[in-house]
Amino acid sequence: MARQGRNVQPSTEGVDESAIPVVEQASESVNETINDTVVETVSLSRKVTNNTRSKLMFPVANLIVESGKSAVIVFDNEAKLSKFMTDVEQLNMLNGGGIIVE
Amino acid sequence: MGVPFTRQLGARSGVQLNPLTDNTERFVSGNADQVFGIVGRFERGRIDKAFDITAGNQRKRLGNPSSTVLSKLNEAYVQTYEAFSNGAYAAVVSRLVPDTAVLSWMVARNGTTTWNIEATPVAPYLVAVKHLECFNDGVIAEIHADTDTTSVVLRLRDKVDNNILYEFVGSLNPESKDEFGASNYLPNVVSAATDDVEVMVGNGAVADVSDPFFGVDAEGYDKYAVAELTYFAEGGTSYELTDYDRAVQALKYTDLEFGYMISGGSRAIPLLSKMIALAKDINKQFIWDIGGEYTVEQAVTFYNQLNIDTHLSQCYFAPLYGDDPVNGGKDFIGCGGIQVGMRCARNARTDANGIAPRNFVVAGRDWSLTRTGIVQKTFFTDQELDLLAKTRINPVMYVKYTSGGRYVFFDSLTGSKTESDKKLIAVADMSCYVDDVVTAVSQESLQLPMQTGVKRLSDFLQGFFEAIEAAKWIKPSKDLGNRSFVATVAPNANRPSDRLDVGYYLRYDGTVRAIYVQQTLSK
């Protein structure tokens, strides 16, 4: 096929999902100063608590959270955070609730 | 009179010839079982409904591929490519976009700045064009007007290769007709040619001699106003549950037929969960992958949290780092595309009765992976293989045979949490096909007189089940009185005038998954 061996082309829309976000203790929101006004940006850190009976895995972070345990995930961009929240929403529907994100 | 008969003979003497009656119709299954459905993120494609693609027009209709290293969302393109190269006939694609996606009009006006992008065309304008195939990279739009001021040529070109996608020649005058008396008003010309482009003509639109696209140039060539227009904004790749719902439902409510569905390597829990629900709804097998970069524990946890218990979900786990056949480079790429391509190729090979060898499952030695440069990153222990089988995940891995080692689909289990025949993919594949065929024939028998319907369905089932018995799909069973099948077609006792009950019992042949060998030394 003519397409075989095509060079890697940069994506204009794609988001890198291959990187594994760092899992660490809760981090504070980042503050930055613009024109002498303090603007609080959206925190990319979330604490997830698994109160379901099942062990759960969050594919955006490749993170397993045991039943009854919690973990803190720091995302490196908002798109990943958004994907994570959508996954949690669906997992809550499948499990009848029990996953709490703070 | 040139013919020796009439169609309606009254009281007079003569010959009446009745229209031909055709009782020779046989069931032909078509090739929908060589087509697969996919929901995925692509650079091009309609967002309002599902559309079909083939190997020949994949690049044109789905857009440029991008590496999976940049985004795992790009795996959908690679898997589609691999499905075609392994034997799929066509694909029905539902493009995933967020609801922030915006499709604008390309608007042409008189004057030097001919082309503009507008959410809603603002009058006065000459023509407004909406390209429903939603190219992320846009198109090259061209317009030319003849010296009669109402005849125009409208072209859309592919920005990648500059080939013409569409060319329409029509009039700006709603009352204009061609030499055969048919309307050649531009919107009518466009709608007769394609439903992927919409065109509106402005009220009282006429070209002007001062327009840069009017008439011919000094050398006598037609003058065109040309512009590269990026008329579609994808709106990012963050999807809400409703976005997944919309994309999945597009596969349900399409008039295009397909036999299987694949996940395109998606790791999105909502998409997988909704596709499995759709599989149950439309009785199609859903072939999907667990990310090859996961550990066995991650794979099992990921699978279990989806709460799957259906034979229509068939999951593969390929911890294989191999060449990306589309973009070059290497990555973990799921084998769902290869699996569905091989199934499609198998289904195309039918016997004298039109039955494909679906009793041969795509797994084991005869179905080695066609990908190159594979490195297996996870080697399974016996306990891990046991766990994967219990979980109902089919590993794709390197296996040594006496005829040489190869990468193969190691097992063939469905997502059914049972030890019955329903756990075998071969049985799921055959039973799905039987249901599809019987329901299709039943639909053709609707609204017939009851006795005719009973006879037609009974005759069909007898022939069909004999055909699948000849193909060794089913075999004699004690429960069925040493027959391979038992079928009943009878009017319902309670509603004998309008309800027909069709039932069939089949004993499917199985798949050799385990062989126990014992040698005993005798004295």
Side-chain angles (χ1 to χ4, degrees):
Chain A
M1 297 286 287
R3 307 199 48 68
Q4 202 108 29
R6 172 179 279 276
N7 290 330
V8 176
Q9 304 220 348
S11 163
T12 51
E13 298 285 349
V15 174
D16 180 8
E17 296 182 328
S18 59
I20 300 171
V22 184
V23 178
E24 56 182 39
Q25 293 305 309
S27 67
E28 295 299 318
S29 300
V30 181
N31 293 329
E32 58 184 76
T33 305
I34 302 170
N35 292 339
D36 298 321
T37 310
V38 175
V39 178
E40 189 171 342
T41 56
V42 179
S43 167
L44 296 177
S45 150
R46 289 290 183 277
K47 181 182 179 191
V48 57
T49 307
N50 175 11
N51 285 336
T52 70
R53 290 184 177 182
S54 321
K55 187 160 69 170
L56 296 176
M57 187 207 166
F58 301 97
V60 179
N62 285 5
L63 171 73
I64 290 180
V65 183
E66 300 281 344
S67 176
K69 296 281 173 59
S70 60
V72 175
I73 312 173
V74 182
F75 297 92
D76 51 13
N77 63 53
E78 283 189 44
K80 280 187 190 171
L81 172 61
S82 161
K83 278 191 210 314
F84 169 78
M85 294 305 290
T86 314
D87 283 350
V88 167
E89 207 176 326
Q90 182 69 23
L91 280 173
N92 264 331
M93 284 166 74
L94 287 169
N95 287 283
I99 308 168
I100 298 157
V101 180
E102 297 166 86
Chain B
M1 187 171 63
V3 288
F5 61 84
T6 176
R7 290 295 190 190
Q8 299 93 14
L9 188 62
R12 64 200 155 89
S13 169
V15 178
Q16 173 175 318
L17 176 64
N18 296 328
L20 186 64
T21 301
D22 184 3
N23 285 333
T24 61
E25 190 172 334
R26 302 169 182 88
F27 179 75
V28 179
S29 59
N31 61 356
D33 62 353
Q34 295 140 47
V35 180
F36 65 97
I38 182 170
V39 172
R41 184 256 165 188
F42 301 100
E43 297 268 330
R44 294 178 177 183
R46 291 189 71 132
I47 58 172
D48 57 334
K49 67 175 189 177
F51 56 98
D52 57 340
I53 62 162
T54 61
N57 64 16
Q58 182 180 6
R59 211 282 302 151
K60 181 184 152 202
R61 301 205 71 178
L62 294 185
N64 276 331
S66 300
S67 172
T68 55
V69 176
L70 295 170
S71 168
K72 292 289 181 196
L73 291 168
N74 297 328
E75 190 174 325
Y77 190 103
V78 180
Q79 287 209 14
T80 305
Y81 176 90
E82 287 190 317
F84 285 137
S85 53
N86 281 282
Y89 176 75
V92 178
V93 178
S94 176
R95 184 178 172 191
L96 187 59
V97 288
D99 65 358
T100 47
V102 180
L103 173 60
S104 303
W105 290 84
M106 296 174 272
V107 183
R109 289 195 175 80
N110 301 103
T112 47
T113 311
T114 309
W115 286 104
N116 282 301
I117 307 254
E118 290 169 21
T120 311
V122 180
Y125 60 88
L126 214 53
V127 292
V129 183
K130 188 184 262 187
H131 186 213
L132 299 170
E133 286 176 298
C134 300
F135 287 10
N136 277 11
D137 52 345
V139 292
I140 301 169
E142 301 180 348
I143 189 167
H144 160 73
D146 274 344
T147 47
D148 68 359
T149 71
T150 56
S151 296
V152 294
V153 179
L154 183 66
R155 283 183 190 155
L156 298 180
R157 284 183 190 271
D158 194 322
K159 272 170 88 170
V160 175
D161 52 20
N162 208 33
N163 285 337
I164 293 176
L165 296 163
Y166 300 101
E167 182 175 58
F168 309 109
V169 181
S171 171
L172 301 175
N173 177 6
E175 293 177 350
S176 175
K177 290 186 168 39
D178 64 13
E179 50 269 62
F180 301 106
S183 169
N184 67 353
Y185 181 45
L186 190 61
N188 293 343
V189 170
V190 172
S191 65
T194 178
D195 65 347
D196 289 334
V197 179
E198 284 178 15
V199 168
M200 294 195 299
V201 173
N203 191 19
V206 284
D208 188 81
V209 68
S210 63
D211 291 333
F213 51 88
F214 185 90
V216 294
D217 62 15
E219 280 82 37
Y221 292 108
D222 286 345
K223 290 201 284 187
Y224 280 88
V226 182
E228 288 195 6
L229 300 171
T230 308
Y231 59 89
F232 178 68
E234 190 183 9
T237 55
S238 289
Y239 309 107
E240 304 287 333
L241 290 186
T242 48
D243 300 327
Y244 291 115
D245 274 329
R246 190 172 51 239
V248 170
Q249 289 302 308
L251 270 191
K252 181 179 179 185
Y253 296 106
T254 175
D255 52 357
L256 302 166
E257 289 184 301
F258 53 90
Y260 301 98
M261 299 188 295
I262 62 172
S263 67
S266 175
R267 274 83 166 156
I269 291 166
L271 180 61
L272 295 171
S273 165
K274 289 172 194 301
M275 289 289 275
I276 291 166
L278 176 68
K280 287 194 270 192
D281 194 13
I282 63 175
N283 201 45
K284 304 283 181 216
Q285 296 161 84
F286 176 48
I287 297 158
W288 61 283
D289 296 287
I290 285 191
E293 68 276 16
Y294 294 169
T295 64
V296 172
E297 187 196 4
Q298 284 176 327
V300 169
T301 308
F302 183 83
Y303 184 94
N304 282 338
Q305 69 191 2
L306 288 167
N307 295 326
I308 299 164
D309 185 11
T310 171
H311 62 297
L312 298 168
S313 157
Q314 294 156 16
C315 172
Y316 294 88
F317 176 42
L320 307 175
Y321 195 68
D323 291 342
D324 177 338
V326 179
N327 303 289
K330 277 179 177 259
D331 200 3
F332 290 102
I333 297 169
C335 294
I338 297 176
Q339 168 73 210
V340 81
M342 287 177 168
R343 287 198 204 185
C344 291
R346 177 202 61 191
N347 293 349
R349 189 161 52 91
T350 53
D351 66 8
N353 297 313
I355 305 296
R358 286 170 178 255
N359 46 339
F360 286 83
V361 69
V362 176
R365 199 201 68 159
D366 295 337
W367 307 91
S368 61
L369 290 195
T370 48
R371 200 175 290 152
T372 56
I374 302 175
V375 179
Q376 186 166 333
K377 290 287 186 182
T378 304
F379 289 90
F380 304 109
T381 63
D382 289 350
Q383 289 74 17
E384 284 173 337
L385 286 172
D386 274 346
L387 179 62
L388 289 172
K390 276 183 201 156
T391 311
R392 302 294 190 246
I393 298 172
N394 300 299
V396 186
M397 55 191 263
Y398 185 78
V399 180
K400 266 193 153 179
Y401 299 96
T402 48
S403 52
R406 60 200 83 180
Y407 291 94
V408 296
F409 298 97
F410 186 67
D411 209 343
S412 58
L413 291 168
T414 69
S416 182
K417 286 195 190 327
T418 169
E419 287 304 316
S420 69
D421 291 0
K422 232 166 81 168
K423 76 174 183 181
L424 298 174
I425 286 179
V427 173
D429 218 334
M430 291 186 282
S431 63
C432 273
Y433 180 75
V434 169
D435 284 341
D436 281 352
V437 169
V438 173
T439 50
V441 173
S442 298
Q443 195 185 28
E444 293 191 359
S445 306
L446 288 173
Q447 306 302 330
L448 288 174
M450 184 58 80
Q451 291 182 58
T452 308
V454 170
K455 181 168 188 322
R456 189 176 284 191
L457 272 173
S458 307
D459 290 351
F460 166 74
L461 289 184
Q462 179 74 28
F464 179 60
F465 290 144
E466 282 172 2
I468 63 172
E469 186 177 25
K472 300 195 185 318
W473 284 19
I474 50 178
K475 62 182 182 184
S477 152
K478 212 161 68 177
D479 279 8
L480 301 177
N482 285 327
R483 284 171 294 184
S484 306
F485 64 90
V486 171
T488 58
V489 180
N492 181 265
N494 192 36
R495 287 168 50 195
S497 299
D498 74 336
R499 176 174 157 174
L500 184 59
D501 291 336
V502 178
Y504 40 95
Y505 303 80
L506 304 169
R507 169 70 171 92
Y508 286 102
D509 196 17
T511 303
V512 180
R513 282 191 61 248
I515 300 174
Y516 293 72
V517 179
Q518 171 72 59
Q519 180 181 156
T520 302
L521 299 178
S522 292
K523 58 186 173 184

